[in-house]
């Protein structure tokens, strides 16, 4: 088994927390992982991405090749399109529909949505709205992970364990919120796919 | 043995801790910062009392590491590639002095310039200094090279340069740890004048260095990090491949399900393993060199005249001349086709980095732009830090960013040329790093320049590390002779805009050195401190 994920977003949106949850779950499932991340200048509100590779065999490259990502998971709609050359023909694009507008020339949202909808395997979800419904908009990144979870080759139970581990420090309330967020995201994806 | 999920940078830190290091010296710089931060947050490092406080700049870091080595203990100095330029003086000379305790210099290169002003290749420095260089291909090797590198340094009595690139530094994978080694105790060098580079002694030391270098070549041929395999038993192979450091991963990614077995030389230790290269060279019609950074290995194999026309790589266009490698570039170099199914839609626009909302640099540039409108454009020299983003819209305020501290001295040079007014914008950490001597030059000639020190009390761009001059900036400026009347302090906030503009205007009219200290805490570190305080209050309840 080999599963390549590109996580996308804008610096400061916290895509690395999603990477950490998947990474933890992959290790728990005795899989190999390599996860390359962006530090430095682009963290200041620029486009950021992380390459996360999971495999049952040892992984050579830290970077994903063109046309081979199984999943693009983006917490921002325009950013979900930036890495399309990396997506495989059978890959899934899972994106938050809520834009992060910090540039003057941000394109019309309808144009972005229509490009996303051109990808047959896509999920477009308003993660912030879903997160608010289950208790707190801050859990929107984990809603996104939930929405991508049906397509990731890792058991749901392992993802839950990952979330419990990562948020344990922040107390029972935060853990339970994020577990609900995971579930809500997953349910949305399963209902709409 | 314990297994940890570590960034390449963190693997180096853990390797050094387990390899018996007693001191880590560094100035923050992407992609090297996480080495030192890991040691700072390591419980074991704390309990052992391993030094890990930030140095003022890379030069002071390498000197302190060399001092610890002189005293017999193991040390490591970490920096980004351009930091090695700052540290070049002690670095070059530490090869002549040699070491007592083992010493590693880690340089993290940034090909493709993700967060840098150039993509220089630190392996040249290793060659230049005649120092052994280690270059890991993965996180495990990063750990092993730091762990073994300290001891190797002691054995060959030379500092060792450990070179890695952004992708390895900032990528996580599992690392298997080894049994921790004890720290050295204090022990003087056997020769009391080993470190005295008076010409007569330096000449002796240099001959020793040249002798050692010849031995190092033999050591490279035997190194576990240099491995030649898949050589044809009879005859010649059409293509042989040399892969250095992380390039080896991109190569293996592409050869995973290949039936062709190319002869491969994986290189992780320099000086180059001559015997191994010779063997590969003579058994292959063509040699493809894969190296992240400059075409160093390729250049030396090819020679100035490229007489045999046998070597392929960046110099003959097989691989782009600039930028980092990736699996697709390597695939193309191997003649494989790369495929894409989707293109980036035209609707996608660039999203460059920007100053944070509420950042004090914003208020400074808003005020400075008023003066720029009055006095004309292209008169603002700046420096390296978050505030360099003032070069981009909506500010478009600054006209230079060259090297740490250059803002003040470039402003001085421009003033010498007759430009007026001239401004320098520099951050507090950059000022401490290399701006103080610049300011002294300006003071000594009473140059008519207006220096703005944007003091956010941290090293912001790299994530908020302590800044060496915090709380000392006025005293430093006064101490080196800036007229106290022209050291102005202001809080850059929107409500103080008019005050900031009028201070700038007054100081522009002063025909000497003015320093305006615009002081407000970085909003990232302020938010973090607030969060920590709330958490603490929660706990105490």
């Amino acid at each position: 088994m080999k599963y390549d994920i590109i996580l996308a977003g804008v610096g400061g949106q916290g895509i690395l927390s999603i990477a950490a949850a998947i990474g933890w779950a992959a290790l728990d499932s005795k899989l190999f992982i390599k996860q390359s991340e962006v530090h430095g200048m682009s963290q200041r509100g620029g486009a950021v991405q992380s390459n996360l590779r999971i495999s049952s065999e040892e992984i050579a490259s830290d970077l994903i090749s063109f046309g081979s990502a199984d999943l693009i998971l983006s917490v921002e709609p325009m950013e979900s399109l930036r890495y399309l050359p990396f997506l495989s023909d059978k890959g899934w694009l899972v994106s938050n529909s809520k834009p992060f507008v910090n540039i003057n020339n941000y394109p019309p949202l309808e144009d972005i949505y229509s490009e996303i909808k051109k990808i047959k395997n896509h999920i477009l979800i308003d993660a912030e709205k879903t997160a608010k419904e289950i208790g707190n908009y801050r859990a929107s990144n984990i809603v996104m992970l939930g929405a991508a979870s049906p397509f990731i080759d890792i058991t749901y139970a392992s993802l839950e364990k990952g979330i419990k581990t990562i948020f344990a420090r922040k107390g029972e309330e935060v853990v339970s919120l994020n577990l609900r967020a995971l579930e809500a995201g997953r349910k949305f994806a399963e209902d709409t796919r | 043995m314990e297994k940890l999920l570590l960034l390449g940078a963190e693997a180096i830190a853990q390797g050094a801790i387990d390899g018996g290091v007693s001191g880590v010296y560094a100035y923050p710089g992407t992609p090297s910062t996480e080495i030192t931060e890991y040691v700072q947050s390591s419980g074991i490092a704390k309990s052992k009392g391993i030094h890990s406080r930030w140095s003022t700049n890379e030069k002071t870091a390498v000197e302190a590491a060399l001092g610890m080595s002189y005293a017999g203990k193991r040390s490591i100095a970490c920096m980004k590639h351009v930091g090695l330029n700052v540290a070049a003086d002690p670095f070059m000379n530490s090869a002549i002095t040699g070491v007592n305790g083992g010493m590693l210099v880690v340089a993290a290169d940034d090909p493709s310039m993700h967060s840098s002003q150039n993509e220089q290749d630190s392996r040249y420095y290793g060659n230049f200094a005649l120092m052994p260089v280690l270059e890991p291909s993965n996180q495990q090797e990063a750990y092993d090279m730091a762990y073994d590198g300290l001891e190797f340094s002691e054995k060959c009595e030379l500092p060792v340069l450990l070179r890695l690139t952004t992708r390895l530094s900032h990528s996580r994978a599992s690392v298997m740890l080894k049994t921790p080694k004890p720290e050295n105790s204090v022990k003087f060098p056997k020769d009391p004048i080993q470190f005295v580079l008076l010409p007569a002694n330096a000449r002796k030391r240099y001959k020793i260095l040249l002798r050692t270098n010849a031995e190092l070549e033999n050591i490279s041929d035997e190194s576990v990090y240099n491995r030649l395999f898949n050589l044809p038993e009879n005859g010649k192979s059409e293509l042989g491949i040399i892969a250095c450091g992380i390039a080896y991963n991109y190569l293996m990614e592409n050869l995973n399900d290949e039936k062709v077995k190319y002869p491969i030389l994986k290189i992780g230790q320099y000086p180059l393993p001559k015997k191994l290269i010779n063997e590969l060279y003579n058994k292959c019609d063509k040699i493809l060199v894969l190296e992240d950074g400059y075409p160093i290995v390729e250049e030396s194999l090819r020679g100035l005249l490229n007489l045999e026309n046998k070597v392929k790589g960046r110099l003959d266009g097989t691989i782009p001349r600039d930028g980092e490698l990736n699996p697709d570039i390597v695939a193309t170099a191997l003649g494989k086709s790369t495929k894409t199914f989707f293109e980036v839609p035209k609707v996608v626009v660039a999203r460059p980095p920007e100053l944070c909302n509420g950042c004090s640099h914003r208020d400074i540039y808003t005020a400075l732009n008023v003066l720029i409108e009055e006095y004309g454009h292209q008169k603002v020299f700046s420096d390296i830090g978050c505030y360099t983003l003032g070069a981009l819209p909506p500010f478009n305020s600054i006209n230079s960013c060259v090297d740490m501290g250059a803002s003040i001295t470039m402003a001085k040079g421009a003033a010498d040329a007759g430009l007026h007014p001239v401004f320098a914008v520099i951050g507090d950490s950059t000022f401490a790093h290399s701006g103080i001597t610049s300011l002294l030059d300006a003071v000594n000639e009473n140059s008519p320049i207006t220096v703005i020190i944007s003091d956010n009390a941290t090293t912001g761009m790299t994530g908020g590390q302590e800044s060496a001059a915090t709380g000392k900036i006025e005293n430093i400026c006064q101490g080196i002779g800036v007229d106290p009347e022209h050291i102005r302090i202001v809080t850059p906030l929107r409500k103080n805009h008019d005050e900031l503009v009028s201070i700038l205007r007054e100081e522009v009219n002063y025909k000497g050195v003015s320093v305006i200290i615009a002081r407000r805490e970085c909003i990232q570190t302020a938010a973090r401190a607030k969060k920590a305080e709330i958490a603490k209050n929660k706990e105490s309840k």
Side-chain angles (χ1 to χ4, degrees):
Chain A
M1 166 269 180
K2 176 190 84 74
Y3 200 82
D4 288 345
I5 306 172
I6 290 179
L7 295 162
V10 180
Q13 281 193 304
I15 59 167
L16 293 183
S17 66
I18 304 177
I22 304 175
W24 200 96
L27 284 184
D28 183 58
S29 311
K30 306 277 176 253
L31 297 167
F32 289 93
I33 80 160
K34 272 200 173 176
Q35 183 227 325
S36 136
E37 31 184 85
V38 174
H39 296 210
M41 197 166 239
S42 42
Q43 282 179 296
R44 301 272 169 271
V48 293
Q49 51 84 22
S50 165
N51 283 199
L52 179 55
R53 313 192 65 198
I54 304 166
S55 174
S56 50
E57 313 293 322
E58 206 157 334
I59 302 163
S61 170
D62 300 81
L63 297 176
I64 295 169
S65 307
F66 280 141
S68 67
D70 301 285
L71 170 68
I72 291 177
L73 171 48
S74 179
V75 297
E76 206 280 344
M78 181 173 75
E79 296 308 319
S80 77
L81 299 169
R82 199 181 295 282
Y83 309 99
L84 274 183
F86 290 94
L87 192 64
S88 94
D89 52 346
K90 295 182 193 69
W92 277 84
L93 186 147
V94 178
S95 179
N96 190 1
S97 63
K98 176 102 183 173
F100 186 97
V101 182
N102 62 343
I103 45 175
N104 296 333
N105 57 339
Y106 195 95
L109 255 188
E110 316 81 75
D111 295 358
I112 290 175
Y113 292 158
S114 89
E115 290 295 341
I116 291 174
K117 285 171 187 161
K118 281 185 195 164
I119 311 295
K120 196 180 91 212
N121 294 336
H122 78 268
I123 301 279
L124 193 56
I125 171 174
D126 187 338
E128 206 174 294
K129 185 168 148 243
T130 311
K132 265 187 206 151
E133 280 164 11
I134 55 110
N136 192 326
Y137 72 96
R138 288 191 179 182
S140 65
N141 279 359
I142 301 302
V143 170
M144 290 309 305
L145 173 57
S149 66
F151 318 112
I152 304 176
D153 251 355
I154 289 179
T155 64
Y156 188 70
S158 289
L159 287 173
E160 282 185 317
K161 255 165 96 181
I163 284 169
K164 280 180 198 159
T165 312
I166 285 162
F167 293 104
R169 231 165 18 98
K170 297 188 172 171
E172 195 46 49
E173 227 171 280
V174 178
V175 170
S176 134
L177 171 74
N178 281 290
L179 288 176
R180 290 201 307 278
L182 186 75
E183 199 189 337
R186 186 178 182 97
K187 184 164 182 308
F188 181 92
E190 279 176 340
D191 291 348
T192 46
R193 67 188 285 189
Chain B
M1 275 287 115
E2 199 185 354
K3 223 174 168 185
L4 292 178
L5 186 62
L6 297 175
L7 292 175
E10 296 171 338
I12 289 173
Q14 185 66 48
I17 293 171
D18 293 343
V21 83
S22 298
V24 180
Y25 296 90
Y27 181 80
T30 313
S32 71
T33 313
E34 296 77 10
I35 304 170
T36 308
E37 288 189 322
Y38 184 88
V39 178
Q40 288 171 343
S41 60
S42 151
I44 297 165
K46 201 168 275 170
S47 70
K48 289 171 92 174
I50 296 174
H51 176 281
S52 63
R53 198 167 164 187
W54 293 108
S55 304
T56 300
N57 65 37
E58 294 86 355
K59 177 176 179 285
T60 65
V62 169
E63 289 159 350
L66 189 62
M68 182 165 271
S69 160
Y70 175 94
K73 294 200 176 185
R74 293 178 177 174
S75 63
I76 159 171
C78 315
M79 62 211 69
K80 67 183 294 172
H81 56 342
V82 287
L84 192 48
N85 297 335
V86 177
D89 204 358
F91 175 81
M92 291 298 297
N93 293 319
S94 69
I96 316 267
T97 62
V99 301
N100 183 24
M103 172 171 159
L104 283 184
V105 176
V106 183
D109 293 357
D110 190 20
S112 277
M113 302 177 234
H114 298 281
S115 281
S116 305
Q117 63 271 47
N118 75 28
E119 57 175 31
Q120 66 183 58
D121 190 319
S122 297
R123 292 176 300 166
Y124 273 114
Y125 268 112
N127 201 2
F128 193 16
L130 299 177
M131 221 181 254
V133 179
L134 299 174
E135 187 187 16
S137 68
N138 59 31
Q139 292 77 356
Q140 184 66 52
E141 276 190 352
Y143 173 86
D144 294 345
M145 285 175 174
Y147 180 88
D148 293 327
L150 287 164
E151 200 163 291
F152 174 54
S153 161
E154 247 159 61
K155 271 194 192 132
C156 65
E157 299 180 2
L158 277 178
V160 172
L161 177 65
L162 204 168
R163 183 249 187 180
L164 77 167
T165 53
T166 306
R167 293 300 176 180
L168 179 54
S169 186
H170 288 167
S171 172
R172 265 171 231 283
S174 287
V175 173
M176 189 75 83
L177 306 192
K178 298 178 170 176
T179 315
K181 295 179 199 172
E183 288 177 63
N184 287 354
S185 41
V186 169
K187 178 190 83 180
F188 286 115
K190 272 177 280 177
D191 175 4
I193 59 163
Q194 179 191 332
F195 286 77
V196 184
L197 296 185
L198 272 169
N201 198 36
R203 283 192 283 268
K204 275 185 218 149
R205 294 291 321 170
Y206 187 48
K207 282 192 199 298
I208 295 173
L209 176 61
L210 291 171
R211 266 203 309 275
T212 309
N213 194 253
E215 286 163 31
L216 288 175
E217 282 177 6
N218 297 331
I219 292 172
S220 282
D221 276 318
E222 305 295 324
S223 166
V224 291
Y225 302 121
N226 297 333
R227 209 154 48 83
L228 178 62
F229 56 99
N230 291 348
L231 266 194
E233 281 176 24
N234 317 302
K236 271 186 157 188
S237 173
E238 213 172 291
L239 181 72
I241 303 169
I242 294 178
C244 308
I246 197 169
Y248 179 73
N249 289 354
Y250 302 142
L251 175 65
M252 295 325 277
E253 182 75 21
N254 276 293
L255 298 182
N256 259 346
D257 23 66
E258 285 298 294
K259 290 190 188 76
V260 203
K261 291 251 184 269
Y262 295 111
I264 294 170
L265 173 57
K266 171 190 177 297
I267 291 180
Q269 181 166 349
Y270 308 72
L272 286 171
K274 261 193 203 156
K275 259 186 238 155
L276 297 180
I277 290 181
N278 196 24
E279 226 173 308
L280 180 79
Y281 193 87
N282 288 319
K283 287 218 161 175
C284 302
D285 294 329
K286 293 273 181 195
I287 305 280
L288 172 65
V289 183
L290 304 172
E291 49 192 329
D292 216 357
Y294 284 18
I296 297 179
V297 175
E298 185 186 347
E299 213 167 30
S300 62
L301 270 188
R302 183 179 149 111
L304 180 65
L305 301 178
N306 191 21
L307 294 176
E308 295 197 41
N309 193 22
K310 193 169 164 171
V311 183
K312 299 171 12 146
R314 290 190 191 266
L315 295 172
D316 72 336
T318 304
I319 294 168
R321 180 63 181 78
D322 61 336
E324 66 179 343
L325 296 178
N326 61 41
D328 293 303
I329 288 174
V330 172
T332 309
L334 291 169
K336 296 174 68 171
S337 59
T338 61
K339 51 182 186 299
T340 54
F341 303 98
F342 307 98
E343 283 175 19
V344 182
K346 287 197 178 62
V347 65
V348 176
V349 295
R351 195 191 302 257
E354 58 170 8
L355 291 170
C356 304
N357 281 323
C359 169
S360 60
H361 301 316
R362 284 181 175 266
D363 298 299
I364 292 168
Y365 285 129
T366 308
L368 187 56
N369 278 354
V370 174
L371 277 281
I372 291 172
E373 284 310 315
E374 286 171 20
Y375 288 94
H377 290 254
Q378 290 185 264
K379 292 176 175 178
V380 183
F381 297 89
S382 191
D383 231 296
I384 295 179
C386 288
Y387 49 92
T388 314
L389 294 170
L392 306 178
F395 302 107
N396 305 308
S397 305
I398 64 167
N399 310 105
S400 80
C401 158
V402 181
D403 68 275
M404 299 285 282
S407 58
I408 299 175
T409 2
M410 283 183 72
K412 181 198 179 290
D416 291 346
L419 211 63
H420 185 81
V422 280
F423 299 94
V425 179
I426 185 169
D428 53 309
S429 184
T430 305
F431 177 68
H433 179 290
S434 289
I436 301 171
T437 45
S438 304
L439 187 61
L440 183 57
D441 272 356
V443 166
N444 285 345
E445 296 190 33
N446 200 31
S447 308
I449 63 171
T450 306
V451 179
I452 301 166
I453 300 179
S454 184
D455 179 10
N456 59 5
T458 193
T459 312
M461 185 105 256
T462 45
Q465 294 75 21
E466 84 179 297
S467 164
T470 300
K472 304 185 180 82
I473 291 178
E474 296 92 308
N475 287 343
I476 290 170
C477 294
Q478 267 199 54
I480 60 176
V482 181
D483 180 349
E485 300 248 312
H486 295 282
I487 299 173
R488 312 287 297 268
I489 297 164
V490 58
T491 306
L493 278 168
R494 197 174 296 170
K495 63 174 186 189
N496 298 340
H497 173 78
D498 293 344
E499 182 196 352
L500 186 47
V501 170
S502 69
I503 288 178
L504 280 166
R505 204 173 277 134
E506 282 163 35
E507 294 308 328
V508 159
N509 289 324
Y510 169 62
K511 297 286 180 287
V513 179
S514 306
V515 176
I516 298 166
I517 302 170
R519 176 173 294 144
R520 179 155 68 82
E521 191 183 358
C522 164
I523 63 144
Q524 295 281 347
T525 57
R528 227 177 297 151
K530 200 172 167 191
K531 232 180 183 176
E533 199 186 331
I534 291 169
K536 209 176 157 192
N537 286 345
K538 245 187 197 169
E539 255 170 48
S540 63
K541 272 177 200 166

